[in-house]
Amino acid sequence: VLDLAQSLSGRKGRFASTLTKTFTDSEVTLAALDQAREFLAGVTEHDTLVMFIAGHGARDTDAAHTYYYLDHDVRTDDLVGTAIAFDQIEDLLYEAKARQKLFLIDTCQSGDDVDLTTLTAPLGNARGLRARSVRGFVAKKGVTLGEGGPAAERRAALWIDALRNRDRLIHQDLRRRSGAMVLASSLGQESSLETDDWRNGAFTEELLRALQTDAADANHDGMVDTDELEAHVISAVPLLTGGRQHPSVERDNPLQRFALPLAP
C-alpha cells in the first residue's frame, strides 16, 4: 500500500493535486473505515478516486459464505464481530461522489469465479511463491482453513460447494453499482501470491510496473488508461506466477475509460 501510494502521489500533467491516505498494520481496524469515510467526504464528481486494499481475504463457512477482509484485530473465531465484511469496504466506494473510480484488490479469492478446477491444484514452491493467507485459520465449527493435509482438502470441498451454489461472488451485486472499475488480483477460488523478493504480491508488483514503466503504455502517450492497465495485469500476473493466479475485472460501465500519467 505504501509503494502504490508513493507511485500515485505527485503525478503531474494530469491532476492539479493528489491527496493520499494510507492505513497499514495496526492502523487497519474497523475504526479505519470511519477515518477513510471522513477523508473521502471531500471527493467531488470531478475527481479521480483510486482505492486499494492488500492483505488477507477469506470466506466464512456461514450459509452466505460471507467474504471478509481480515483486519489487524481480527479474531478468527468471531469473524462477524471482528473482521471487516467486504460490503463495508464497497460502501466507501459506493458513497464516493467521483465519477472516475478504480478499485484495486490484492487479496486471496478476491475476484469472479471462472474455473473451479484450479482450487485443488497444488501451488508448488517455484521461485518462493506462497499464498497470501492466514496459516491455521480456524472458522466456525472447528474447520481449520490452513494450508496442506486433510484441512486443505476440507477447505477445497467447502469452497467448491459454495462457488457452485452461488449466483454471484463479490463485486457483482447489482445494488452496489458505483461507476467503478474493479481489478481483483485473483479468481474467486485462487490464492494471491507473494514472495520475499518482491516484498509485495504479484498483482501489486505488476500494478507498479504498469504505473512506473512503459510496459502497459501500448500507445506510447505517457499515460496508462484503464484499458491498458487491465490488459497488462490480466496478461502479466499469470506469467509472473506460472499460471497460478489470474486477475479479474468488472466494470459498471464498459465504455468508461480514464487514464493515469506514468510516474517513473
Side-chain angles (χ1 to χ4, degrees), residues 84-95:
I84 301 175
F86 210 81
D87 284 356
Q88 295 174 280
I89 297 174
E90 288 187 317
D91 280 342
L92 297 175
L93 195 71
Y94 182 77
E95 295 164 4

Side-chain angles (χ1 to χ4, degrees), residues 16-33:
S17 63
T18 304
L19 303 177
T20 61
K21 179 74 172 175
T22 61
F23 302 91
T24 61
D25 300 328
S26 61
E27 299 170 334
V28 182
T29 64
L30 283 167
L33 292 175

Side-chain angles (χ1 to χ4, degrees), residues 192-213:
S192 291
L193 304 174
E194 59 185 16
T195 73
D196 291 331
D197 290 341
W198 305 328
R199 302 186 67 181
N200 277 315
F203 178 73
T204 300
E205 191 73 1
E206 288 302 337
L207 285 175
L208 293 168
R209 187 163 166 249
L211 294 169
Q212 296 174 343
T213 75

Side-chain angles (χ1 to χ4, degrees), residues 15 40 44 57 64 69 84 87-88 134 137 151 178 202 212 226 243:
F15 304 107
L40 294 176
T44 74
Y69 178 75
I84 301 175
D87 284 356
Q88 295 174 280
V134 179
F137 178 70
S178 63
Q212 296 174 343
T226 47

Side-chain angles (χ1 to χ4, degrees), residues 74-151:
V74 69
R75 288 202 347 254
T76 56
D77 61 346
D78 183 19
L79 290 183
V80 175
T82 63
I84 301 175
F86 210 81
D87 284 356
Q88 295 174 280
I89 297 174
E90 288 187 317
D91 280 342
L92 297 175
L93 195 71
Y94 182 77
E95 295 164 4
K97 296 178 181 179
R99 289 177 180 169
Q100 299 183 154
K101 304 177 188 179
L102 178 62
F103 187 18
L104 306 168
I105 309 168
D106 196 350
T107 67
C108 293
Q109 302 174 2
S110 55
D112 298 334
D113 169 40
V114 175
D115 178 11
L116 295 172
T117 61
T118 61
L119 183 62
T120 54
L123 285 176
N125 294 310
R127 295 180 294 171
L129 288 174
R130 64 176 180 272
R132 174 168 281 174
S133 59
V134 179
R135 294 183 181 276
F137 178 70
V138 179
K140 293 181 179 178
K141 301 179 182 177
V143 178
T144 301
L145 304 180
E147 295 183 9

